[in-house]
Amino acid sequence: MAVFLTVLNYAVVFDDCTGNEGVEFEVSNPDFLIDEKLNLVPRRHVIDSGDVMFVHGVNNHVDDMAQVTIMGAPSRSPQTLREILGLSDMMPYRSKRSLLVPPMFVPENQRAPFPRLIGKVISSNMKEDHIFRLTGRGADQDPKGVFSINRLTGDVAVSRALDREAIAYYHLQVSTTDLSGKLVEGPADLDVSVIDQNDNRPVFKEPRYSGEVQEGSPTGTTVMTMTAYDADDPNTDNAVLRYIIVRQLPDKPSPNMFYIDPERGDIVTVISPHQLDRETLPTTQYELEIVAKDMAGSEVGLTGTATATITITDRNDHAPEFTHSLFQASVNEGSTGVVVNLTVDDRDDPATGAWRAIYSIINGDPNQNFEIQTNLDNNEGMLSVVKPLDYESAMFHTLLIKVENEDPLVPDVVYGSSSTATVYITVMDVNEGPVFFPDPLVVIRRENIPVGSFVAMLNATDPDYLQTQSIRFSVLRDPADWLIVNPFKGNVTTRAILDRESPHVHNNQYTALFMATDNGSPPASGTGTLIITIEDENDNAPYIFPSVARVCEDSKDMNVVIGGRDKDIHPNTDPFKIELGKQPGLEKTWKISRINDTHSQIMLLHSLKKANYNLPLVLTDSGVPPISNNTELKVQVCTCKKNRMDCSHAGSIQTNILLLLGLVLLSILCL
């Protein structure tokens, strides 16, 4: 038997082909019912019915169900109820399923009394011994007890106020069981969506925003972006935000210097570039009070507020200008340091490259006597003398100074005549000390020249040639006290013998310091150095080294190597001639053979007892004339055992070489 049920204009048409006797209707939304005239009518004032509901018709002959689509209902999410139920585009909905579980909707923030009915689950096979059961999150799982179902009627109720921002969607399961708990139908999904209420104000991510815009920027320049968020459903107007500027401080030169895009939150400039001049604006910082309103900006929307601070940044649109076209200063000749501070005005932002000055000398300093640096604290130019000036050479100096900024100027601004200045420097005369020439003065003299010998003539001149002044000479430092100077003529003579071997002589040079003093007021002095290169004389006798030699008493080859040394230098030193003393018979016990220019070998021809022996030697250098030195070599005859030399008792017997020779001769005669 064909059964057809539809809902047209809220009137239900039901036909079971037998006169519809005993038909009963159930509506999934408890806020609606089917009246006696088969019209779908609300039980009370309905705020929100949802997008769809279901009508179930049943009698003894047929059991059928139809879907009612609510036209004009507000959209809530990208998913429709049909999609949630998996019904695609089939309409009207017809099913022979015995358990009908329509989606349900609950507005958040409902007030008591609770529980409140939110829908009905319909079972076509419900019997007296069957009961409904509700499971899942919100029923028997945390948060438990939010939803409940009437075990007999299938009415679903909510037990408390819901918060969509906490949980926006509940997924539960409905089933029917017999009284023993045996599953009869289901489980079937029951989806409960929490309907959003506009209960959250827009909130800005930050309470204060900061942005910058450069002066002279074109109208429409984006300064910054304000962003607020709303915790309400983003698919409803509850979270659709609009931005507006409600106040600007200060409000000069215009109360509407900036504009905010109502949808994006972009703040852009409205003021003209000419008026956006940092140097003429009453302040370089503007505060904007920004309001974000939900409900797409309607009057009933909730609002949130934040502050935007906009700083007008500088650009280099003002060239630095000297406060004076002419600066004057005076400086003592011979001195260095800062002589004048040059001041400039610059209307740009201090402590930026558009304000910081760079000074340069563009004329008047061919010898680089001057230098100019920027004082980082006040932007002044510190003009300094780095090479001392000479009054006698130039009494005046005229410098041309230029000032620029670290940052380049904007294209429509140039450096003018005020960016250059003239500086007059007057050099003050100072009594300068005499100057030695040459300095140092180097002369060559031979050592041992007689006292009173001429050494050098000092030459000193007074730089103050415009004044007539006399000069006196004096010895300032003479380490060996060898020299004397004539105070008026400057000639240096000896007052003692020059000795090249003196400890005051280094690398054959002796250094003395002299002073020349003028009779100015006050007197001034200068110093000069005299370096005497001293030529060597053969005035030092050579000497042997070492002066003590040790040999073993039982050694077969008793040889000693000695060398000669001399305080003089070539050609008054080696080659040395080393010979035995003139005492007769020495050659029968000792023999000397030459090794090289400085060393010789002494050989003992006979064994000697353990004792100390003094061997006479004659050492002669190669000077002209040569100098000889009659000296002695101390020979220690020691006991040697296992690579150890014991000379401890050698000193107990001091034997003269002559006595030794006599004993040797006596032994020979007895043979």
Side-chain angles (χ1 to χ4, degrees):
M1 179 182 295
V3 178
F4 177 69
L5 182 150
T6 59
V7 178
L8 299 174
N9 296 326
Y10 300 105
V12 176
V13 178
F14 184 85
D15 186 5
D16 66 353
C17 301
T18 62
N20 297 338
E21 183 179 357
V23 64
E24 293 182 358
F25 297 98
E26 290 181 305
V27 182
S28 62
N29 191 326
D31 291 333
F32 292 84
L33 58 81
I34 304 297
D35 64 9
E36 296 83 357
K37 297 181 180 180
L38 300 186
N39 291 320
L40 178 63
V41 296
R43 297 177 183 268
R44 53 184 174 272
H45 180 67
V46 180
I47 297 177
D48 195 325
S49 63
D51 291 332
V52 297
M53 66 180 67
F54 299 90
V55 179
H56 182 213
V58 61
N59 62 9
N60 294 329
H61 301 285
V62 295
D63 183 343
D64 200 4
M65 183 169 57
Q67 175 179 305
V68 179
T69 301
I70 310 301
M71 306 301 294
S75 60
R76 297 186 181 86
S77 68
Q79 282 188 309
T80 67
L81 294 175
R82 300 168 61 82
E83 292 170 335
I84 294 174
L85 293 172
L87 301 179
S88 184
D89 294 329
M90 293 186 299
M91 175 144 187
Y93 175 84
R94 294 182 179 274
S95 175
K96 292 301 181 180
R97 294 174 57 189
S98 59
L99 190 62
L100 173 62
V101 186
M104 299 179 188
F105 302 90
V106 182
E108 66 173 333
N109 304 322
Q110 287 183 314
R111 297 183 179 180
F114 289 102
R116 287 174 175 266
L117 291 179
I118 62 172
K120 185 180 183 65
V121 177
I122 301 172
S123 174
S124 60
N125 295 329
M126 196 68 178
K127 297 181 180 180
E128 291 183 0
D129 60 344
H130 292 176
I131 59 174
F132 290 97
R133 182 186 178 192
L134 185 63
T135 59
R137 183 186 183 192
D140 59 349
Q141 298 177 16
D142 291 333
K144 296 179 180 179
V146 177
F147 301 99
S148 62
I149 189 169
N150 188 299
R151 301 174 63 186
L152 301 178
T153 64
D155 292 332
V156 180
V158 62
S159 62
R160 69 186 76 162
L162 303 183
D163 183 4
R164 191 203 67 85
E165 287 69 44
I167 302 177
Y169 178 79
Y170 293 87
H171 183 72
L172 303 99
Q173 288 80 39
V174 178
S175 60
T176 60
T177 66
D178 58 20
L179 295 179
S180 66
K182 181 180 179 181
L183 181 65
V184 177
E185 294 177 292
D189 292 335
L190 170 58
D191 295 323
V192 180
S193 298
V194 182
I195 301 173
D196 187 41
Q197 300 292 323
N198 192 19
D199 58 345
N200 287 277
R201 293 182 177 275
V203 177
F204 283 92
K205 293 184 177 179
E206 301 174 15
R208 300 187 68 89
Y209 288 73
S210 297
E212 295 180 351
V213 61
Q214 191 179 64
E215 62 173 334
S217 296
T219 300
T221 299
T222 299
V223 181
M224 58 197 299
T225 299
M226 305 289 287
T227 303
Y229 69 95
D230 194 310
D232 290 322
D233 189 349
N235 298 303
T236 67
D237 284 349
N238 296 340
V240 176
L241 305 183
R242 294 294 182 264
Y243 300 92
I244 187 173
I245 299 174
V246 297
R247 185 172 58 177
Q248 170 191 303
L249 291 176
D251 59 357
K252 304 295 182 182
S254 166
N256 299 311
M257 295 175 59
F258 303 95
Y259 166 79
I260 187 167
D261 186 288
E263 295 184 5
R264 295 193 301 269
D266 296 336
I267 297 178
V268 299
T269 59
V270 178
I271 190 172
S272 66
H274 175 71
Q275 288 182 299
L276 192 60
D277 185 359
R278 194 194 66 87
E279 289 74 34
T280 60
L281 291 173
T283 180
T284 58
Q285 281 193 340
Y286 286 83
E287 282 199 355
L288 306 180
E289 185 178 341
I290 309 297
V291 171
K293 181 181 286 190
D294 59 20
M295 297 301 292
S298 70
E299 294 183 359
V300 298
L302 302 178
T303 61
T305 304
T307 300
T309 301
I310 299 177
T311 301
I312 312 301
T313 60
D314 190 37
R315 63 175 185 160
N316 198 9
D317 57 347
H318 294 89
E321 298 179 346
F322 283 100
T323 57
H324 306 283
S325 60
L326 175 64
F327 294 85
Q328 297 185 14
S330 60
V331 58
N332 291 332
E333 66 171 331
S335 66
T336 59
V338 177
V339 295
V340 64
N341 291 314
L342 309 181
T343 54
V344 295
D345 285 333
D346 196 320
R347 298 171 61 190
D348 290 315
D349 187 12
T352 66
W355 177 81
R356 286 190 292 268
I358 299 177
Y359 298 87
S360 58
I361 302 172
I362 59 177
N363 196 12
D365 187 26
N367 298 320
Q368 285 77 50
N369 293 99
F370 299 91
E371 178 183 86
I372 188 166
Q373 294 181 340
T374 304
N375 187 324
L376 300 180
D377 294 329
N378 54 24
N379 217 30
E380 293 181 354
M382 300 181 295
L383 181 64
S384 304
V385 176
V386 293
K387 292 182 181 179
L389 303 176
D390 184 19
Y391 172 83
E392 287 72 28
S393 299
M395 301 179 186
F396 302 98
H397 294 267
T398 302
L399 306 178
L400 188 61
I401 310 295
K402 181 180 180 181
V403 62
E404 297 175 312
N405 289 131
E406 287 185 3
D407 293 347
L409 296 173
V410 296
D412 56 338
V413 178
V414 296
Y415 293 104
S417 59
S418 297
S419 296
T420 58
T422 302
V423 181
Y424 287 159
I425 304 294
T426 301
V427 183
M428 307 300 293
D429 188 25
V430 175
N431 185 27
E432 300 172 88
V435 178
F436 283 84
F437 181 82
D439 188 22
L441 173 61
V442 180
V443 298
I444 300 174
R445 294 292 180 268
R446 183 170 291 275
E447 68 175 332
N448 301 321
I449 59 177
V451 174
S453 297
F454 174 79
V455 176
M457 177 64 72
L458 301 179
N459 180 30
T461 59
D462 194 335
D464 301 307
Y465 60 85
L466 298 180
Q467 303 178 23
T468 303
Q469 298 181 150
S470 61
I471 297 176
R472 292 178 61 89
F473 296 93
S474 61
V475 178
L476 185 61
R477 185 169 60 86
D478 181 13
D481 200 22
W482 287 343
L483 307 174
I484 189 171
V485 62
N486 186 299
F488 303 105
K489 296 181 180 180
N491 54 312
V492 179
T493 57
T494 61
R495 63 188 300 173
I497 298 298
L498 303 182
D499 183 9
R500 193 200 65 83
E501 292 75 35
S502 168
H504 300 292
V505 177
H506 304 282
N507 296 325
N508 303 322
Q509 290 185 331
Y510 179 75
T511 302
L513 192 63
F514 294 86
M515 184 168 63
T517 306
D518 63 23
N519 62 345
S521 180
S525 61
T527 60
T529 301
L530 172 63
I531 299 176
I532 305 173
T533 300
I534 301 178
E535 294 181 335
D536 186 42
E537 290 281 345
N538 192 20
D539 56 349
N540 290 277
Y543 58 93
I544 62 171
F545 182 84
S547 60
V548 178
R550 293 177 176 179
V551 297
C552 296
E553 63 178 340
D554 56 352
S555 175
K556 296 180 180 180
D557 296 323
M558 301 179 67
N559 300 328
V560 176
V561 176
I562 61 172
R565 291 187 178 181
D566 198 317
K567 293 182 179 180
D568 293 319
I569 59 175
H570 285 289
N572 298 318
T573 57
D574 59 84
F576 297 113
K577 183 178 181 181
I578 303 176
E579 302 173 293
L580 294 174
K582 302 303 182 181
Q583 292 85 343
L586 290 177
E587 67 278 1
K588 295 181 179 180
T589 305
W590 307 90
K591 180 180 179 181
I592 296 179
S593 58
R594 186 172 181 269
I595 297 177
N596 53 34
D597 289 349
T598 58
H599 289 77
S600 295
Q601 177 176 281
I602 299 178
M603 295 176 290
L604 183 62
L605 302 178
H606 300 283
S607 299
L608 296 177
K609 294 183 178 181
K610 182 177 180 181
N612 288 343
Y613 301 91
N614 293 326
L615 176 63
L617 296 175
V618 178
L619 182 61
T620 306
D621 62 22
S622 296
V624 180
I627 296 179
S628 297
N629 182 17
N630 293 314
T631 184
E632 290 182 343
L633 173 66
K634 183 178 182 180
V635 180
Q636 291 182 329
V637 179
C638 306
T639 301
C640 299
K641 293 181 179 181
K642 295 182 179 180
N643 297 325
R644 295 183 62 185
M645 180 177 286
D646 182 13
C647 302
S648 59
H649 300 292
S652 61
I653 304 176
Q654 295 262 341
T655 304
N656 189 281
I657 276 295
L658 294 179
L659 178 60
L660 175 64
L661 292 175
L663 294 175
V664 171
L665 291 174
L666 181 60
S667 62
I668 294 174
L669 292 175
C670 293
L671 293 175

